[in-house]
Amino acid sequence: MTNLEIVKSTYEGKTSEENGANLAQYADDHISWTEAKGFPYAGTYIGLESVVKHVFSRLGSEWIDYKFTPEDYVSGDDKVVAYGTYTGIHKMTGKQLEARVAHIWKLKDGKIVSFEQFVDSQTVNDSMK
């Protein structure tokens, strides 16, 4: 698979479980995952287990239908940028979320070595209040 196809597989599966399995399959053992400063889950997490614990498990427990819908991709060499929109409903507030976002992925030898998120964090935080 190309780097672009690997990244697409983490978003465009039939289910979020399929997307997660694809991420697990292609994640480097020491993947570095950075959630944007100001985002509710901000920080850099090392290793897939840490990413699941600090990001995905919280997204799954705190949101209804939280997802990233890619608008387009830019790919070159060892980098892929995906940009689009986050949507979902916060369980505690019932507020709808819609936020623009970009993800920068770096790959090496068919493995995802890093991920960095850029997002309108204020929009996300407002939906949680």
Side-chain angles (χ1 to χ4, degrees):
M1 291 180 82
T2 67
N3 289 341
L4 179 59
E5 290 169 333
I6 290 169
V7 169
K8 282 184 171 185
S9 79
T10 70
Y11 296 123
E12 298 177 350
K14 292 182 174 96
T15 65
S16 46
E17 289 80 12
E18 183 180 320
N19 291 343
N22 288 334
L23 175 61
Q25 177 182 355
Y26 295 110
D28 183 81
D29 290 341
H30 303 293
I31 187 172
S32 173
W33 189 279
T34 301
E35 297 283 303
K37 184 176 181 179
F39 193 69
Y41 316 123
T44 297
Y45 308 102
I46 306 300
L48 190 58
E49 184 177 319
S50 182
V51 174
V52 169
K53 177 182 177 184
H54 295 285
V55 181
F56 292 112
S57 65
R58 291 186 64 191
L59 291 171
S61 67
E62 297 174 12
W63 296 87
I64 300 166
D65 296 327
Y66 187 96
K67 67 179 180 178
F68 170 70
T69 302
E71 180 180 318
D72 205 355
Y73 300 88
V74 179
S75 179
D77 297 326
D78 63 348
K79 294 179 188 78
V80 177
V81 176
Y83 60 94
T85 306
Y86 282 151
T87 55
I89 299 169
H90 192 258
K91 286 183 179 179
M92 299 231 4
T93 66
K95 292 181 181 177
Q96 180 83 27
L97 162 69
E98 186 172 319
R100 296 293 292 160
V101 62
H103 296 158
I104 298 176
W105 301 80
K106 293 182 184 174
L107 297 93
K108 182 178 180 184
D109 300 326
K111 290 290 188 181
I112 301 164
V113 295
S114 72
F115 166 95
E116 186 172 3
Q117 170 202 60
F118 294 86
V119 63
D120 178 1
S121 296
Q122 187 63 48
T123 303
V124 179
N125 289 318
D126 287 349
S127 69
M128 298 175 75
K129 296 178 184 174

